[in-house]
Amino acid sequence: MTTTQPHPKTSPLIELSGIAKTFVVRRRVGRLRRTRAEVHAVSDLSFTVSRGEMVGYIGPNGAGKSTTIKMLTGILVPSAGLLRVAGIEPSRERIQLARRIGVVFGQRTTLWWDLPLRDSFGLLRRIYKIPPARYRENLDRFVDLLDLGPLLDVPVRQLSLGQRMRGDITAALLHDPEVLYLDEPTIGLDIVSKARVREFLREVNAGQGTTVLLTTHDLTDIEQLCSRVMVIDHGRLMYDGDLDGLHSLGDSERTLVVDLAEPLPAIEVDGGRVVRVDGPRQWLAFPAAASAAPLVAAIADRYPLADLSIQEPAIEAVIARMYAEGVAS
Amino acid sequence: MVDALRAYGWIITMWVRSTMAYRASFLMLTFGQFFGTGLDFVTIFIMFVHTDELGGFTLPEVGFIYATSGVAIGMADLLLGSIERIGQRIRDGSVDVMLVRPVSAFVQAAADRFALRRLGRILQSTAVLVWSLTVLDIHWTWDRVLLVPIMLICGTVIFCSVFVLGAAFQFAASDAAQVANAFTYGGNFLTQYPPTIFAKDLIKAATFAIPLAFVNWMPALHILDRADPLGLPKAFQFASPIAAAAITLVAGLAWRAGIRSYRSTGS
Ligand SMILES: Nc1ncnc2c1ncn2[C@@H]1O[C@H](COP(=O)(O)OP(=O)(O)OP(=O)(O)O)[C@@H](O)[C@H]1O
Ligand SMILES: [Mg+2]
């Protein structure tokens, strides 16, 4: 936990520098021949994550997100570069590191398929050597927060996806890890389950100071949870910063929706351009980074303005543009 | 090491508890193993109906050789027979899960789905062993008395190593298929997977060829006071601990190499 660490701020919790992972694959050519090919899943990746951060890690399919997480957990050995998590080199000291991290794979369970949740948790208690009192406390809290009570005696294989995910998240947190990795924790969940999982993660991050790194394809996760977002594509880091920065980076525009007193021809004004007219209502695009005030003032000056509203650019559109550009480059 | 053994204990305890929830089916499966493997011996028994000796050995002598190897295989199978399931886990990428827990992957793979019903085979072989020892007229000397438990322990170790070697081999064997799989984003890997079958054959060949000589045949010749038909040096009859140590070392190295070469899957 944060307070027990000697250097809470001086050294980052997660540190990557020049990390690469190359898979050698054998491709089939013709019926029998095979050639070797290299897949650069991650190339020259460098970033740091400090204690207590909640970071979103996004990118299109095959970008290298899961590969990064597997290196951070010690499952995969990097082909190049330097990697430290809590001062430990994951692939070398995997078992020591395992006590200090929690991992959730959205695509696969870390629980024992044939055992009831309760037994899985009990076994984890022993494996992670969680003090019994701490275990009870944590379990009670997670059961309460994630509404697991009725599910504790159900074998994992009988749980629905959303139920299983809640079980998996609990399993990853019972031993109070310093850092929690989640690889697509909301995949396949309905709106209610997603909301519950997000609420829970926020609580864990804010309440216990657990550092969280999560990958997702649902940008709402990022918008609602993460102050920082990293975008990776083709194994390279394309962006690292806050959400707002991502907006401006996407070179995006906001939309000013104005309702005039009467239907009029398209407004002509500096700093904005009409993209749509529908009776008295007009839509004007203007740069996301610019302030709306001068634009509104200029319009109100010359037109009979009845009402107005501003639409933020959809983050989806920004990201989609980034991904598309990434693919093109 | 102590940690690893304790973790092994916890995992198998949990599996035993969960099988005991279905006690009737557990008992049936155990008896099934008992009688299923017992049929082997019945076959041998039938061969002796019309003759007193087979290849120069009497029924109790054959029973002794059969039972000592049976106990060893049974023990190895009970202790870490589940390790062969690693092949499936490598291909579906669920070894990932083992690697994020603070227990060695070896312990987890060995204890995975620990099946107490495998006691059935051990019990059956033990019964034959006890029978053969009571009927056989062995000239018991100290070295012969000692050789019996040594034979059983070394045999267990050797068979365990053979299982581990087979499992380690699956890391290499599944490499090609798994990569193809990751590359085609979940294409039908089953059709591209002859290596498993190959691995099974290899295990079988190794299971019967290499260890049997040391586990069983050589020390048994001494206990039964028989001349070695192959005329190998007498020292071989006491060499099973050395053979066991050697094969354990090889298996350990192979397993480590296997884990290090593990590359997960693309999804
Ligand atoms: N075990 C593997 N063997 C060979 N290639 C792999 C392996 N794992 C991943 N790859 C390749 O590495 C690249 C990155 O894969 P990765 O799973 O990290 O992507 P991702 O960002 O998690 O994508 P997704 O959003 O689809 O989950 C892909 O091109 C993939 O084919
Ligand atoms: Mg992924």
Side-chain angles (χ1 to χ4, degrees):
Chain A
M1 228 145 261
T2 328
T3 47
T4 63
Q5 292 304 314
H7 307 294
K9 280 283 175 280
T10 46
S11 64
L13 186 59
I14 300 173
E15 200 172 0
L16 286 83
S17 111
I19 285 293
K21 181 69 192 179
T22 305
F23 292 105
V24 175
V25 295
R26 284 176 211 93
R27 261 186 258 215
R28 252 190 205 183
V29 270
R31 279 175 64 80
L32 293 171
R33 273 192 49 219
R34 291 191 168 187
T35 56
R36 283 155 55 95
E38 289 191 341
V39 175
H40 299 280
V42 168
S43 326
D44 194 22
L45 189 64
S46 304
F47 64 79
T48 60
V49 177
S50 311
R51 264 174 212 290
E53 275 196 278
M54 172 107 103
V55 182
Y57 194 45
I58 59 175
N61 289 133
K65 303 181 296 294
S66 300
T67 304
T68 309
I69 291 198
K70 285 174 195 167
M71 289 191 283
L72 288 170
T73 50
I75 295 170
L76 290 177
V77 188
S79 315
L82 196 92
L83 178 55
R84 288 282 181 281
V85 176
I88 292 176
E89 187 178 338
S91 59
R92 274 183 190 277
E93 297 177 75
R94 194 166 38 74
I95 292 183
Q96 279 90 312
L97 183 68
R99 295 189 188 288
R100 304 173 64 173
I101 64 171
V103 191
V104 175
F105 299 110
Q107 316 261 22
R108 99 170 15 110
T109 183
T110 58
L111 301 164
W112 286 266
W113 202 241
D114 301 291
L115 298 179
L117 275 181
R118 192 190 296 282
D119 290 6
S120 279
F121 294 159
L123 187 54
L124 290 172
R125 174 179 79 74
R126 290 176 175 281
I127 285 180
Y128 284 90
K129 304 197 174 115
I130 309 169
R134 186 77 195 132
Y135 170 76
R136 274 251 63 85
E137 199 178 310
N138 277 348
L139 187 61
D140 288 349
R141 198 160 52 98
F142 298 147
V143 163
D144 182 43
L145 282 171
L146 288 170
D147 199 12
L148 281 173
L151 307 176
L152 281 178
D153 294 303
V154 181
V156 172
R157 85 181 104 77
Q158 291 173 16
L159 296 177
S160 78
L161 185 62
Q163 295 169 335
R164 198 216 81 202
M165 195 73 79
R166 284 183 271 149
D168 258 302
I169 293 176
T170 302
L173 286 167
L174 283 172
H175 58 290
D176 291 317
E178 291 163 51
V179 46
L180 175 64
Y181 303 106
L182 304 123
D183 194 356
E184 306 194 30
T186 54
I187 188 170
L189 301 193
D190 67 28
I191 296 176
V192 180
S193 302
K194 275 186 182 176
R196 180 179 281 149
V197 165
R198 286 180 196 138
E199 183 52 45
F200 179 75
L201 292 178
R202 207 179 354 245
E203 157 84 21
V204 165
N205 174 250
Q208 281 165 289
T210 308
T211 310
V212 179
L213 180 73
L214 70 95
T215 81
T216 183
H217 288 293
D218 182 346
L219 294 162
T220 321
D221 291 343
I222 307 284
E223 285 178 321
Q224 298 195 352
L225 291 176
C226 305
S227 49
R228 174 178 170 197
V229 52
M230 293 192 287
V231 184
I232 184 178
D233 193 9
H234 285 83
R236 291 180 185 280
L237 198 60
M238 310 286 286
Y239 176 80
D240 183 355
D242 58 12
L243 258 182
D244 293 344
L246 193 56
H247 282 286
S248 54
L249 184 94
D251 193 24
S252 62
E253 293 178 316
R254 291 195 280 171
T255 309
L256 179 69
V257 185
V258 295
D259 287 325
L260 303 174
E262 57 194 303
L264 287 170
I267 297 172
E268 282 179 27
V269 65
D270 280 345
R273 116 192 102 78
V274 175
V275 288
R276 189 176 158 204
V277 180
D278 184 7
R281 177 170 288 191
Q282 303 201 5
W283 284 260
L284 287 91
F286 67 102
S291 164
L295 186 62
V296 172
I299 295 170
D301 211 25
R302 294 191 282 130
Y303 295 88
L305 193 56
D307 195 9
L308 61 86
S309 66
I310 294 173
Q311 290 174 353
E312 295 297 326
I315 184 80
E316 274 83 0
V318 177
I319 301 281
R321 198 169 324 153
M322 265 188 91
Y323 289 179
E325 280 161 12
V327 171
S329 65
Chain B
M1 187 65 192
V2 177
D3 264 8
L5 282 176
R6 287 173 67 183
Y8 180 82
W10 292 325
I11 301 176
I12 68 168
T13 308
M14 186 201 57
W15 284 113
V16 170
R17 271 212 351 244
S18 92
T19 18
M20 285 309 162
Y22 308 94
R23 203 162 314 218
S25 104
F26 163 74
L27 287 176
M28 266 171 62
L29 286 168
T30 310
F31 279 117
Q33 281 245 335
F34 187 96
F35 290 112
T37 54
L39 281 180
D40 293 347
F41 192 65
V42 171
T43 314
I44 297 174
F45 190 84
I46 290 168
M47 290 196 292
F48 275 91
V49 169
H50 298 293
T51 169
D52 286 342
E53 287 196 354
L54 211 67
F57 288 87
T58 63
L59 178 59
E61 285 173 327
V62 172
F64 177 77
I65 294 170
Y66 164 88
T68 42
S69 75
V71 170
I73 294 180
M75 287 294 288
D77 194 31
L78 177 74
L79 292 175
L80 49 65
S82 312
I83 208 163
E84 66 150 5
R85 302 171 57 94
I86 199 82
Q88 179 56 38
R89 284 177 158 276
I90 294 166
R91 286 189 298 283
D92 67 21
S94 59
V95 175
D96 286 11
V97 174
M98 295 182 164
L99 294 178
V100 300
R101 293 194 189 119
V103 172
S104 84
F106 177 75
V107 166
Q108 294 181 64
D112 191 30
R113 294 171 172 274
F114 180 82
L116 201 57
R117 63 164 186 280
R118 289 171 178 154
L119 270 177
R121 176 186 215 152
I122 300 174
L123 290 175
Q124 179 265 340
S125 298
T126 308
V128 176
L129 182 60
V130 170
W131 169 78
S132 72
L133 287 177
T134 49
V135 209
L136 279 169
D137 185 20
I138 296 172
H139 175 59
W140 288 111
T141 54
W142 272 116
D143 53 335
R144 289 202 173 112
V145 173
L146 268 178
L147 209 50
V148 175
I150 288 176
M151 201 172 157
L152 294 179
I153 293 168
C154 291
T156 304
V157 171
I158 289 174
F159 283 120
C160 281
S161 300
V162 170
F163 286 151
V164 173
L165 276 173
F169 180 76
Q170 307 223 35
F171 280 97
S174 60
D175 207 33
Q178 180 197 329
V179 169
N181 180 31
F183 207 74
T184 51
Y185 287 97
N188 184 0
F189 60 85
L190 283 177
T191 53
Q192 331 171 331
Y193 209 69
T196 342
I197 297 147
F198 176 48
K200 285 228 170 83
D201 279 347
L202 191 87
I203 293 165
K204 271 191 195 132
T207 308
F208 295 108
I210 315 166
L212 272 179
F214 282 104
V215 175
N216 210 237
W217 180 240
M218 302 301 299
L221 288 175
H222 180 69
I223 294 170
L224 299 175
D225 200 12
R226 307 288 300 237
D228 181 357
L230 296 177
L232 293 171
K234 185 88 180 152
F236 272 43
Q237 301 180 355
F238 304 96
S240 12
I242 296 168
I247 193 170
T248 303
L249 185 73
V250 173
L253 291 175
W255 174 264
R256 286 179 62 165
I259 284 283
R260 218 169 299 152
S261 74
Y262 175 66
R263 45 192 292 172
S264 186
T265 53
S267 57

